[in-house]
Structure formats: C-alpha cells, structure tokens
C-alpha cells in the first residue's frame, strides 16, 4: 500500500538540530499531523506524554552524536531546509521506516538517520566536481577518464539505494544505480588530495569527484555501513534546481504549513 506523501504537516523540532559551542547537537526531527476534532479532547495529555518521550529520545540521540558521530567542522551550521526536510521525512513516513540520508551539496554535509528518525551521525562529504543536479545521458556507461568535466555531477533528488556488486570496487553502497552514483570511503586519486579536502573546515574545496559521494573512512565504517547495511533512502538537495522541482511533496507541505533488481554489475563512479 503506497504511503501518502502529499499531506500538509506541522513540523516540530525538539530541540532541533542546533549548534552549541560549534558542535552539532541533534535530538530528533519530530513532526506531527494536525489533530482531528476527536483527538483534541485528549490533546493536552497526549502532548505531555509525547513531550516526555521526545525529551528522553533527544537525550539519547544527543549522547550518540556527541560520542564521535558529529564530525562537521566546528561552527558550521545545518541549514533550515535540511532540518525541515528531516522533520517532513519522519512525519510523512516518506522513508517508510528505512534509514535515510540527507546530503547538502552546497554545504558539503551528510547527515545519516536511522529508521526511527534519530540522527546517527553527521560529517563532511566530497561531491561531483561539476555544479548541477542531473546526470548526463549515457554517463553511467563511461570509464572514469571518459567522463567530461561538465558531466561530473552528483544528481539531486530522492533515491532508494543499497549495497550491491560493482565491476571494479566489489560490493558498494549504491545511491542511484542507474546513474552509477555510490557512497564510499575517500578514494585515493593522485593529485586530487581528497583526504585533505575532506579534512578542511571549508566546503569550498569539497567538489572533486566524478559524481560519487566520498566520506572519511572511519565515519563510513562506524556510521554509514551499519546504518545502511540493509539499504535506505537518500535525499540530495539541489544546488541549481528549486526545492519545489526536486522534492515537490515536501515543498507543498512546507508551503501549506507556512500558509496556515536483475541488473548486471556496473563500474562505480568515484
């Protein structure tokens, strides 16, 4: 049965994704649908119980993030759009209970959430060297050296991905198999200094890959692999297209709130 994804929601963040002393502190991106008239009679009691449960979950989540899972540069904020999108995913059940990842190419940020909506970790990422939100036709079938610089993009959108085989890299985490975009530990490419780019405090030098997403090896093994071992949903924010074009259901909900298998192996792009 398909999950409805067009309902307007009221996003509630408790205590939201915020920065404190330069460190990301995340509780949960909570969201709830408007109560029906039949529910309003018990709304006060339910709200109190929910608040207590949310606080307990928030404390647990904060402890997880503080335990080495927050690897964003000190003082770097997470955008309101990312926060609102996380809340919408949980409220609308757009992830259908699966873990999910939100990627902000402009800020070079990757946030990994469990199926329960808790943030498991946040870290910088490396993305395609070309600015753009679409994959050029036929690029998935090209060797890395054959991909023109203008076509080395990380596409924006919602993707359902998971681990699967590749020709040259073994079992990889496919974000979008059709465009050969995967997420993997930082690749060593002569002359590109990917590890140094990933470690720098600025997102300005994080555009260097052929389209895939690179993360620090420790973050990949400790956060990405165990969270997404059985697959998940990936949300990649656009940098040229609008949010409305990329995530229409999310934008409709946000506007309403404001107003009131069987494929052969493929070589992974790096």
């Amino acid at each position: 049965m398909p999950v409805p994804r067009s309902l307007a929601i009221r996003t509630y963040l408790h205590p939201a994704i915020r920065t404190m002393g330069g460190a990301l502190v995340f509780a949960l991106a909570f969201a709830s649908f408007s109560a029906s008239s039949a529910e309003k009679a018990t709304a006060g009691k339910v709200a109190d119980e929910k608040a207590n449960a949310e606080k307990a979950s928030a404390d647990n989540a904060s402890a997880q993030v503080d335990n080495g899972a927050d690897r964003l540069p000190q003082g770097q904020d997470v955008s309101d759009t990312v926060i609102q999108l996380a809340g919408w995913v949980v409220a609308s059940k757009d992830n259908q209970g699966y873990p999910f990842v939100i990627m902000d190419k402009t800020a070079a940020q990757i946030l990994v959430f469990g199926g329960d909506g808790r943030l498991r970790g946040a870290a910088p990422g490396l993305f395609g060297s070309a600015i753009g939100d679409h994959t050029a036709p036929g690029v998935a079938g090209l060797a890395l050296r054959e991909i023109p610089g203008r076509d080395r993009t990380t596409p924006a959108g919602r993707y359902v991905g998971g681990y699967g085989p590749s020709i040259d890299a073994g079992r990889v985490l496919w974000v979008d198999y059709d465009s050969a975009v995967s997420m993997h530990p930082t690749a060593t490419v002569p002359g590109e200094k990917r590890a140094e780019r990933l470690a720098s405090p600025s997102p300005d030098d994080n555009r260097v890959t052929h389209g895939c997403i690179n993360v620090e090896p420790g973050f990949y093994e400790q956060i990405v692999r165990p969270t997404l071992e059985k697959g998940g949903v990936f949300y990649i924010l656009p940098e040229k297209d609008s949010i409305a074009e990329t995530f229409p259901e999310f934008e409709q909900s946000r506007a309403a709130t404001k107003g009131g298998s069987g494929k052969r192996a493929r070589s992974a792009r790096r």
Side-chain angles (χ1 to χ4, degrees):
M1 181 178 180
V3 176
R5 294 189 290 162
S6 59
L7 296 177
I9 63 169
R10 175 171 52 84
T11 302
Y12 173 59
L13 304 174
H14 179 79
I17 299 176
R18 58 190 175 87
T19 53
M20 179 180 292
L24 176 69
V25 179
F26 176 87
L28 285 176
F30 290 109
S32 59
F33 293 97
S34 298
S36 66
S37 57
E39 294 172 331
K40 291 182 179 179
T42 58
K45 181 179 179 181
V46 172
D48 291 341
E49 292 175 350
K50 183 176 180 180
N52 291 334
E54 289 172 353
K55 184 179 186 303
S57 298
D59 292 340
N60 292 334
S62 295
Q64 288 180 334
V65 174
D66 290 338
N67 189 25
D70 172 22
R71 305 192 185 188
L72 294 180
Q74 186 173 6
Q76 190 176 101
D77 293 333
V78 175
S79 73
D80 289 341
T81 298
V82 169
I83 295 171
Q84 292 165 6
L85 179 59
W88 175 80
V89 170
V90 175
S92 64
K93 299 182 181 179
D94 189 77
N95 61 324
Q96 299 190 28
Y98 284 96
F100 64 97
V101 181
I102 296 179
M103 305 184 210
D104 186 341
K105 291 188 288 182
T106 302
Q109 295 175 347
I110 296 174
L111 287 82
V112 181
F113 298 81
D116 57 3
R118 294 185 185 182
L119 182 73
R120 299 299 174 84
L126 300 180
F127 296 89
S129 59
I131 302 299
D133 297 315
H134 302 276
T135 297
V139 72
L142 299 177
L144 295 181
R145 65 180 180 277
E146 298 174 335
I147 301 176
R150 66 178 181 277
D151 294 337
R152 297 178 180 182
T153 57
T154 299
R158 177 188 186 275
Y159 303 96
V160 177
Y163 280 93
S166 69
I167 291 175
D168 57 348
R171 184 171 177 263
V172 301
L173 178 57
W174 292 108
V175 174
D176 181 35
Y177 184 89
D178 290 339
S179 58
V181 173
S182 65
M183 179 186 291
H184 53 76
T186 311
T188 301
V189 181
E192 292 189 354
K193 298 182 178 180
R194 294 196 181 191
E196 290 84 351
R197 290 169 180 266
L198 197 58
S200 73
S202 170
D204 296 340
D205 59 354
N206 288 43
R207 307 304 295 268
V208 66
T209 78
H210 289 76
C212 283
I213 300 98
N214 286 193
V215 295
E216 189 270 326
F219 184 80
Y220 184 87
E221 293 300 330
Q222 296 170 24
I223 303 298
V224 174
R225 186 188 294 278
T227 303
L228 297 160
E229 182 63 34
K230 295 183 179 180
V233 185
F234 299 86
Y235 301 86
I236 306 178
L237 270 61
E239 53 192 342
K240 295 184 71 175
D241 291 348
S242 67
I243 289 290
E245 291 176 285
T246 309
F247 304 116
E249 296 94 342
F250 164 58
E251 183 59 26
Q252 289 168 12
S253 176
R254 187 164 63 164
T257 301
K258 288 179 180 179
S261 72
K263 298 178 181 178
R264 64 181 180 82
R266 172 171 289 160
S267 177
R269 293 163 63 188
R270 303 189 185 193

